[in-house]
Amino acid sequence: MSNWELGAAQEFDRWQLSGRADGMAEGHRYGTEAILNQWSLNSESRILDVGCGQGWLVHQLCKAGIALGVGVDISEEMIGHARRFASDHSQFLVSSASELPFKANFFSHVISIESLYYHTRPVDSLVEWHRITQVGGVLGVMVDLYGENKGSHAWVDALNIPVHLFSISDYLSLFEQAGWGNVRFQQIVDPRPVKPESDFVPTDYYPCYDDYCAFRHSGSLILMAEKLA
């Protein structure tokens, strides 16, 4: 594990221990659903969630009847929590996203929610995900921190760990460099009401109300791709 990953792992451990990770599923729900709604899942689907956190998505997918759901994360605390709810159709591993302990062409679907910009070299992760995905398999990635979402830019300094701030075109290029085909994107806006300015409290992540509004109106970036060969 690189020094970059080690620092991220320690930070995410703190998030789990402090309870900060408990509410993340709700904030990520709409972007995640936008990916899942474009997939055809069945009893033979094998899905890998990279940066699975507490494992909420893997648990949900396994309840829907897929063959196997696997979650990997660099945080031992997050994985420890996820394992408490594991089933016969799920497993959770501590692992780097760019060096996964799976054979080539194993998974039918790979998903990564709010994780890729934390990776040391995102293109290396994308190459590895391509390796372990079967031909005809699909990849779905969601990120909230990206160039066109101006309201998220304060996160770069607010986070205690280094992150990448890529534009949409940067991400599309990285996917193509890694060998993925039919790469496409969309921006998904959270339909929940935007809080009025009277209720807004500045934070390091949203120093002013305009930043908060810009973030909410830009939405999550969804990137979809397929392994063609």
Side-chain angles (χ1 to χ4, degrees):
M1 186 177 294
S2 68
N3 288 334
W4 179 305
E5 289 176 322
L6 182 59
Q10 293 170 342
E11 179 67 5
F12 298 148
D13 283 346
R14 287 190 286 270
W15 289 10
Q16 174 59 34
L17 293 170
S18 68
R20 177 175 174 178
D22 294 345
M24 288 185 174
E26 180 61 23
H28 299 159
R29 180 162 66 91
Y30 300 101
T32 304
E33 289 177 349
I35 294 173
L36 298 180
N37 289 340
Q38 298 179 61
W39 285 356
S40 297
L41 302 177
N42 55 49
S43 60
E44 297 182 354
S45 299
R46 295 190 300 272
I47 303 177
L48 174 66
D49 181 4
V50 184
C52 69
Q54 295 182 328
W56 62 273
L57 178 55
V58 171
H59 299 313
Q60 177 181 316
L61 292 169
C62 288
K63 288 179 181 178
I66 64 171
L68 177 67
V70 179
V72 298
D73 202 287
I74 57 175
S75 167
E76 293 186 5
E77 293 292 339
M78 295 275 195
I79 291 297
H81 178 92
R83 284 175 175 160
R84 292 165 51 194
F85 306 97
S87 68
D88 292 340
H89 298 281
S90 67
Q91 57 181 277
F92 297 93
L93 306 170
V94 177
S95 175
S96 167
S98 59
E99 295 182 56
L100 295 166
F102 308 111
K103 64 183 180 180
N105 308 308
F106 182 74
F107 291 98
S108 58
H109 302 74
V110 176
I111 191 167
S112 180
I113 304 299
E114 272 294 85
S115 169
L116 190 55
Y117 55 79
Y118 291 111
H119 298 192
T120 309
R121 281 178 45 84
V123 69
D124 291 345
S125 298
L126 291 166
V127 168
E128 179 70 344
W129 302 351
H130 188 272
R131 180 188 69 82
I132 54 88
T133 301
Q134 65 190 34
V135 175
V138 292
L139 169 65
V141 171
M142 186 196 101
V143 292
D144 281 338
L145 173 62
Y146 59 100
E148 287 77 3
N149 188 345
K150 304 297 185 183
S152 70
H153 291 190
W155 296 12
V156 175
D157 292 326
L159 289 162
N160 292 325
I161 48 180
V163 292
H164 299 283
L165 178 58
F166 292 137
S167 67
I168 295 174
S169 62
D170 290 334
Y171 274 115
L172 296 176
S173 178
L174 289 173
F175 275 59
E176 291 169 354
Q177 288 176 43
W180 292 96
N182 193 20
V183 183
R184 56 206 185 275
F185 77 93
Q186 60 188 130
Q187 289 168 269
I188 300 296
V189 175
D190 186 334
R192 293 176 297 178
V194 174
K195 69 176 66 175
E197 188 168 7
S198 58
D199 293 341
F200 174 76
V201 177
T203 67
D204 289 342
Y205 292 88
Y206 304 109
C208 66
Y209 187 65
D210 286 345
D211 284 345
Y212 164 73
C213 289
F215 174 80
R216 290 297 308 273
H217 292 308
S218 294
S220 299
L221 175 62
I222 306 299
L223 297 140
M224 306 290 290
E226 301 174 28
K227 183 173 178 177
L228 302 179

